[in-house]
Amino acid sequence: MSNIFNFLANPSRFRIFAKSAYPYLLMIMIIFIIMGLWYGLFNSPPDYQQGETVRIMYVHVPAAWMALMVYSSMTIMSLFSLVWRHPLADTLSKSSAPIGAVFTLIALVTGSIWGKPTWGTWWVWDARLTSVFILFLIYMGHIALVRAFEDEFKGARAAAILTLFGAFNLPIIKFSVDWWNTLHQPASVIKLDGPSIHVDMMIPLILMAVGFLFFYFAFLLINVQTELNQRKLKKLFIKNLNLN
Amino acid sequence: MNIAKLKRRKRLSILLLAFIAITVSGFLILSASRDSLIYFYSPTELLEIKNIDNKIIRIGGLVRKESLISINKSKIEFIVEDGKNHLSVQYTGILPDLFREGQGVICEGKLNKNKIFIADRILAKHDENYMPPEVADALKKTGNWQGKE
């Protein structure tokens, strides 16, 4: 296992790996999302309380999971960047942030669309909704900060520190519904006494979650390739300037 | 090689110290701002709070079964309970679709002198159970229903 890591740690080798791997990841993503959408929209029952509105969940919940998952992986990458000064960690973190921000935005928007018919409001400032909104702001801050410096290593350093600070929001998001009274309902799937969601609704939810996970993997590899190519171009440009 | 290792250890210990400091301060901030992080109070929690006359607050609980009455065309009254205590709520306006007797509800408004809660806004709270209608009916029939009606 550590051999694979060592092998991929080299940016140019990682570039070759990314180039050959991402089409497969894209394919897996498309298959799972098509299956999940078909199952969720046509083959799963309405809810006994919400009726058909429940189908928003098949986009909302996986997006919210991914918002947390992407941030968790960025936290690990930032740790690698700050302590072990790993050359790829910053690139992976920088390439993850926009994907995480999009997942967070999807979770916020679909949640709002679900909230209007179910709760009777688009938005409230309860602990869950507010902490997820803060996560979105941290993602946007990361995207801006990493590009705010002339020296890209300085930007990466600052962004890694921001990521570690912001990681304290993760347990707050997860447990906000248990620690405080919120309008948002508590967890249905990931909880101690087993899921409280019917199996016919669980299947499309899991299919979509796997699809979204591979969305992240595929687009991460695409973003990393762009990032490494840009870096190479920059080097060539500087070389040319020096020659002239 | 050794110097690099030392440096790495130093960076790791700085991060660990920062982690502990931030965890402690985060915990203190969160526990100090508990009141503003709570979105609503249950009727029991409401009893412990002072100085709520004419202040806008939110209360939440279950709508007691068979407690919903309409006073006139648009004004309704119902009882919100949390198992221990309960509170009468009056409301004028449109109700959300999921507002039902036995369901969770959050009311925003003021408590008047007669200890009746005058709500300006009503939100329906959804619980964490998801199931098809047939399953809910079957559970009710066999007497295995754990949730609210």
Coordinates of all heavy atoms in Angstrom, one line a residue, chain A residues 178-230:
Chain A
D178 N -28.3 16.9 17.3 CA -28.5 16.2 18.5 C -28.2 17.1 19.7 O -28.8 17.0 20.8 CB -27.5 15.0 18.6 CG -27.7 14.1 17.4 OD1 -28.9 13.8 17.1 OD2 -26.7 13.6 16.9
W179 N -27.2 18.0 19.5 CA -26.8 18.9 20.7 C -27.9 20.0 21.0 O -28.0 20.4 22.1 CB -25.5 19.6 20.4 CG -24.3 18.6 20.4 CD1 -24.3 17.4 20.9 CD2 -23.0 18.8 19.8 NE1 -23.1 16.8 20.7 CE2 -22.3 17.6 20.0 CE3 -22.4 19.9 19.1 CZ2 -21.0 17.5 19.6 CZ3 -21.1 19.7 18.7 CH2 -20.4 18.5 19.0
W180 N -28.5 20.6 19.9 CA -29.4 21.7 20.1 C -30.7 21.3 19.5 O -30.8 20.5 18.6 CB -28.8 22.9 19.5 CG -27.4 23.3 20.0 CD1 -27.1 23.7 21.3 CD2 -26.2 23.2 19.3 NE1 -25.7 23.9 21.3 CE2 -25.2 23.6 20.1 CE3 -25.9 22.9 17.9 CZ2 -23.8 23.7 19.8 CZ3 -24.6 23.0 17.6 CH2 -23.5 23.3 18.4
N181 N -31.8 22.0 20.0 CA -33.0 21.9 19.3 C -32.9 22.6 17.9 O -32.6 23.8 17.9 CB -34.1 22.7 20.1 CG -34.4 22.0 21.4 OD1 -34.0 20.9 21.6 ND2 -34.9 22.8 22.4
T182 N -33.2 21.9 16.8 CA -33.1 22.5 15.5 C -34.4 22.2 14.8 O -35.1 21.3 15.1 CB -31.9 21.9 14.7 OG1 -32.0 20.5 14.7 CG2 -30.6 22.4 15.3
L183 N -34.7 23.0 13.7 CA -35.8 22.7 12.9 C -35.5 21.4 12.0 O -36.3 20.6 11.8 CB -36.1 23.9 12.0 CG -37.3 23.7 11.0 CD1 -38.6 23.4 11.7 CD2 -37.5 24.9 10.1
H184 N -34.2 21.3 11.6 CA -33.8 20.2 10.8 C -33.9 18.9 11.6 O -33.5 18.8 12.8 CB -32.3 20.4 10.4 CG -31.9 19.5 9.3 ND1 -31.7 18.2 9.5 CD2 -31.7 19.7 8.0 CE1 -31.3 17.6 8.3 NE2 -31.3 18.5 7.4
Q185 N -34.4 17.8 11.0 CA -34.6 16.6 11.7 C -33.2 15.9 12.0 O -32.3 16.1 11.3 CB -35.5 15.6 10.9 CG -35.0 15.3 9.5 CD -35.5 16.2 8.5 OE1 -35.6 17.4 8.8 NE2 -35.7 15.8 7.3
P186 N -33.2 15.0 13.0 CA -31.9 14.3 13.2 C -31.6 13.3 12.1 O -32.4 13.1 11.2 CB -32.2 13.5 14.6 CG -33.5 14.0 15.0 CD -34.2 14.7 14.0
A187 N -30.4 12.7 12.2 CA -29.9 11.7 11.2 C -30.9 10.5 11.1 O -31.4 10.0 12.1 CB -28.5 11.3 11.5
S188 N -31.0 10.1 9.8 CA -31.9 8.9 9.6 C -31.1 7.7 9.2 O -31.5 6.5 9.4 CB -32.9 9.2 8.4 OG -33.7 10.2 8.7
V189 N -29.9 7.9 8.6 CA -29.1 6.8 8.1 C -27.9 6.4 9.0 O -27.8 5.3 9.5 CB -28.6 7.1 6.6 CG1 -27.9 5.9 6.1 CG2 -29.8 7.4 5.8
I190 N -27.1 7.4 9.2 CA -25.9 7.2 10.0 C -26.1 7.5 11.4 O -26.0 8.6 11.9 CB -24.7 8.0 9.5 CG1 -24.5 7.7 8.0 CG2 -23.4 7.7 10.2 CD1 -23.5 8.7 7.3
K191 N -26.6 6.5 12.2 CA -26.9 6.7 13.6 C -26.7 5.4 14.3 O -26.7 4.3 13.7 CB -28.2 7.4 13.9 CG -29.4 6.6 13.3 CD -30.7 7.2 13.7 CE -31.9 6.3 13.5 NZ -33.1 6.9 13.9
L192 N -26.6 5.5 15.7 CA -26.2 4.3 16.5 C -27.3 3.1 16.4 O -26.9 2.0 16.2 CB -26.1 4.7 17.9 CG -24.8 5.4 18.2 CD1 -24.7 5.9 19.7 CD2 -23.6 4.5 17.9
D193 N -28.6 3.4 16.5 CA -29.5 2.4 16.5 C -30.1 1.9 15.2 O -31.2 1.4 15.0 CB -30.7 2.7 17.5 CG -31.2 4.1 17.2 OD1 -30.6 4.8 16.4 OD2 -32.3 4.4 17.7
G194 N -29.2 2.1 14.1 CA -29.6 1.6 12.8 C -30.5 2.6 12.1 O -31.1 3.5 12.7
P195 N -30.5 2.5 10.7 CA -31.3 3.5 10.0 C -32.8 3.5 10.2 O -33.3 2.4 10.5 CB -30.9 3.1 8.5 CG -30.2 1.9 8.6 CD -29.8 1.5 9.9
S196 N -33.4 4.6 10.2 CA -34.9 4.7 10.3 C -35.5 5.1 9.0 O -36.3 6.0 8.9 CB -35.3 5.7 11.4 OG -34.8 6.9 11.1
I197 N -35.0 4.4 7.9 CA -35.5 4.8 6.6 C -35.8 3.5 5.9 O -35.0 2.5 6.0 CB -34.5 5.7 5.9 CG1 -34.8 5.8 4.4 CG2 -33.1 5.2 6.0 CD1 -34.0 6.9 3.7
H198 N -36.9 3.4 5.2 CA -37.3 2.2 4.5 C -36.3 1.7 3.5 O -35.7 2.6 2.8 CB -38.7 2.4 3.9 CG -39.3 1.1 3.5 ND1 -39.3 0.6 2.2 CD2 -40.0 0.2 4.2 CE1 -39.9 -0.5 2.1 NE2 -40.4 -0.8 3.3
V199 N -36.2 0.4 3.3 CA -35.1 -0.1 2.4 C -35.3 0.4 0.9 O -34.3 0.6 0.2 CB -35.0 -1.6 2.5 CG1 -36.2 -2.3 2.0 CG2 -33.8 -2.2 1.8
D200 N -36.6 0.5 0.5 CA -36.8 1.0 -0.9 C -36.4 2.4 -1.1 O -36.2 2.9 -2.2 CB -38.3 0.9 -1.2 CG -38.7 -0.6 -1.5 OD1 -37.8 -1.4 -1.8 OD2 -39.9 -0.9 -1.5
M201 N -36.2 3.2 0.0 CA -35.7 4.6 -0.1 C -34.2 4.6 0.1 O -33.5 5.5 -0.3 CB -36.4 5.5 0.9 CG -37.9 5.5 0.7 SD -38.6 6.3 2.1 CE -40.3 6.5 1.5
M202 N -33.7 3.6 0.9 CA -32.3 3.5 1.2 C -31.5 3.2 -0.1 O -30.4 3.7 -0.3 CB -32.1 2.4 2.2 CG -30.7 2.3 2.8 SD -30.5 3.6 4.0 CE -29.5 2.7 5.1
I203 N -32.1 2.3 -1.0 CA -31.3 1.8 -2.2 C -31.0 3.0 -3.1 O -29.8 3.2 -3.4 CB -32.1 0.7 -2.9 CG1 -32.1 -0.6 -2.0 CG2 -31.4 0.4 -4.2 CD1 -33.1 -1.6 -2.5
P204 N -32.0 3.8 -3.5 CA -31.6 4.9 -4.4 C -30.7 5.9 -3.7 O -29.8 6.5 -4.3 CB -32.9 5.6 -4.7 CG -33.9 5.1 -3.8 CD -33.4 3.7 -3.3
L205 N -30.8 6.1 -2.4 CA -30.0 7.0 -1.6 C -28.5 6.5 -1.7 O -27.6 7.3 -2.0 CB -30.5 7.0 -0.2 CG -29.8 8.1 0.7 CD1 -30.2 9.5 0.2 CD2 -30.4 8.0 2.1
I206 N -28.3 5.2 -1.5 CA -26.9 4.7 -1.5 C -26.3 4.8 -3.0 O -25.2 5.2 -3.2 CB -26.9 3.2 -1.0 CG1 -27.4 3.2 0.4 CG2 -25.5 2.6 -1.1 CD1 -26.5 3.9 1.4
L207 N -27.2 4.4 -4.0 CA -26.7 4.5 -5.4 C -26.3 5.9 -5.7 O -25.2 6.1 -6.3 CB -27.9 4.1 -6.3 CG -28.3 2.6 -6.4 CD1 -29.5 2.4 -7.2 CD2 -27.1 1.8 -6.9
M208 N -27.1 6.9 -5.3 CA -26.7 8.3 -5.6 C -25.5 8.7 -4.9 O -24.6 9.4 -5.4 CB -27.9 9.2 -5.2 CG -29.1 9.1 -6.1 SD -28.7 9.6 -7.8 CE -28.7 11.4 -7.7
A209 N -25.3 8.2 -3.6 CA -24.1 8.6 -2.8 C -22.9 8.0 -3.5 O -21.9 8.7 -3.5 CB -24.3 8.0 -1.4
V210 N -22.9 6.8 -4.0 CA -21.8 6.2 -4.7 C -21.5 7.0 -5.9 O -20.3 7.3 -6.2 CB -22.0 4.7 -5.0 CG1 -20.9 4.1 -5.8 CG2 -22.2 3.9 -3.7
G211 N -22.5 7.3 -6.7 CA -22.4 8.2 -7.9 C -21.7 9.5 -7.6 O -20.8 9.9 -8.3
F212 N -22.1 10.1 -6.5 CA -21.6 11.4 -6.1 C -20.1 11.3 -5.7 O -19.3 12.1 -5.9 CB -22.4 12.1 -5.0 CG -23.6 12.8 -5.5 CD1 -24.2 12.5 -6.6 CD2 -24.1 13.9 -4.7 CE1 -25.4 13.1 -7.1 CE2 -25.2 14.6 -5.2 CZ -25.9 14.2 -6.3
L213 N -19.8 10.2 -5.0 CA -18.4 9.9 -4.6 C -17.5 9.8 -5.8 O -16.4 10.4 -5.8 CB -18.4 8.6 -3.7 CG -17.0 8.3 -3.1 CD1 -16.7 9.3 -2.0 CD2 -17.0 6.8 -2.5
F214 N -18.0 9.1 -6.8 CA -17.1 8.9 -8.0 C -17.1 10.2 -8.8 O -16.2 10.5 -9.5 CB -17.6 7.7 -8.8 CG -17.0 6.5 -8.3 CD1 -17.6 5.7 -7.3 CD2 -15.8 6.0 -8.8 CE1 -17.1 4.6 -6.8 CE2 -15.2 4.9 -8.3 CZ -15.9 4.1 -7.3
F215 N -18.2 11.1 -8.7 CA -18.1 12.4 -9.3 C -16.9 13.2 -8.7 O -16.1 13.8 -9.4 CB -19.4 13.1 -8.9 CG -19.5 14.5 -9.5 CD1 -20.2 14.8 -10.6 CD2 -18.9 15.6 -8.8 CE1 -20.3 16.1 -11.1 CE2 -18.9 16.9 -9.3 CZ -19.7 17.1 -10.4
Y216 N -16.8 13.1 -7.4 CA -15.7 13.7 -6.7 C -14.3 13.2 -7.2 O -13.5 14.0 -7.6 CB -15.8 13.6 -5.2 CG -14.6 14.0 -4.4 CD1 -14.0 15.2 -4.6 CD2 -14.0 13.2 -3.4 CE1 -12.9 15.6 -3.9 CE2 -12.9 13.6 -2.7 CZ -12.4 14.8 -2.9 OH -11.3 15.2 -2.2
F217 N -14.2 11.9 -7.2 CA -12.9 11.3 -7.7 C -12.6 11.7 -9.1 O -11.5 12.1 -9.4 CB -13.0 9.7 -7.6 CG -13.0 9.2 -6.2 CD1 -13.7 8.0 -5.9 CD2 -12.5 9.9 -5.1 CE1 -13.7 7.5 -4.6 CE2 -12.5 9.4 -3.8 CZ -13.1 8.2 -3.6
A218 N -13.6 11.6 -10.0 CA -13.3 11.9 -11.4 C -12.9 13.3 -11.6 O -11.9 13.7 -12.2 CB -14.5 11.5 -12.2
F219 N -13.7 14.2 -11.0 CA -13.4 15.7 -11.2 C -12.2 16.1 -10.4 O -11.5 17.1 -10.9 CB -14.7 16.5 -10.9 CG -15.6 16.5 -12.0 CD1 -16.6 15.5 -12.1 CD2 -15.6 17.4 -13.0 CE1 -17.4 15.4 -13.2 CE2 -16.5 17.4 -14.1 CZ -17.4 16.4 -14.2
L220 N -11.9 15.4 -9.3 CA -10.6 15.7 -8.7 C -9.4 15.4 -9.6 O -8.5 16.3 -9.7 CB -10.5 14.9 -7.4 CG -9.2 15.0 -6.6 CD1 -9.1 16.4 -6.0 CD2 -9.2 14.0 -5.4
L221 N -9.5 14.3 -10.3 CA -8.4 13.9 -11.1 C -8.3 14.9 -12.3 O -7.2 15.3 -12.8 CB -8.5 12.5 -11.6 CG -8.3 11.4 -10.6 CD1 -8.2 10.0 -11.2 CD2 -7.0 11.7 -9.7
I222 N -9.5 15.3 -12.8 CA -9.5 16.3 -14.0 C -8.8 17.6 -13.5 O -8.0 18.2 -14.2 CB -10.9 16.5 -14.5 CG1 -11.4 15.2 -15.1 CG2 -10.9 17.6 -15.5 CD1 -12.8 15.2 -15.5
N223 N -9.3 18.1 -12.3 CA -8.7 19.3 -11.8 C -7.3 19.3 -11.5 O -6.5 20.2 -11.8 CB -9.5 19.7 -10.5 CG -10.8 20.3 -10.7 OD1 -11.3 20.4 -11.9 ND2 -11.6 20.5 -9.6
V224 N -6.8 18.1 -11.0 CA -5.4 18.0 -10.7 C -4.6 18.0 -12.0 O -3.5 18.7 -12.0 CB -5.1 16.7 -9.9 CG1 -3.6 16.4 -9.9 CG2 -5.6 16.7 -8.5
Q225 N -5.1 17.4 -13.0 CA -4.3 17.4 -14.3 C -4.2 18.9 -14.8 O -3.1 19.3 -15.2 CB -5.1 16.7 -15.4 CG -4.9 15.2 -15.3 CD -5.7 14.5 -16.4 OE1 -5.3 14.6 -17.5 NE2 -6.8 13.9 -16.1
T226 N -5.3 19.6 -14.7 CA -5.3 21.0 -15.1 C -4.2 21.8 -14.3 O -3.4 22.6 -14.9 CB -6.6 21.7 -15.0 OG1 -7.6 20.8 -15.4 CG2 -6.7 23.0 -15.7
E227 N -4.3 21.6 -13.0 CA -3.4 22.3 -12.1 C -1.9 22.0 -12.5 O -1.1 22.9 -12.6 CB -3.7 21.8 -10.7 CG -3.1 22.6 -9.6 CD -3.5 24.0 -9.6 OE1 -4.7 24.3 -9.9 OE2 -2.7 24.9 -9.3
L228 N -1.6 20.7 -12.7 CA -0.2 20.3 -13.0 C 0.2 20.8 -14.3 O 1.4 21.2 -14.5 CB -0.1 18.8 -12.9 CG -0.2 18.2 -11.5 CD1 -0.2 16.6 -11.5 CD2 0.8 18.7 -10.5
N229 N -0.7 20.8 -15.3 CA -0.4 21.3 -16.6 C -0.1 22.8 -16.6 O 0.8 23.3 -17.2 CB -1.6 21.1 -17.6 CG -1.7 19.6 -18.0 OD1 -0.7 18.9 -17.9 ND2 -2.8 19.2 -18.5
Q230 N -0.9 23.5 -15.8 CA -0.7 25.0 -15.6 C 0.7 25.2 -15.0 O 1.4 26.1 -15.5 CB -1.8 25.6 -14.8 CG -3.0 26.1 -15.5 CD -4.1 26.6 -14.6 OE1 -4.0 26.4 -13.4 NE2 -5.0 27.3 -15.2

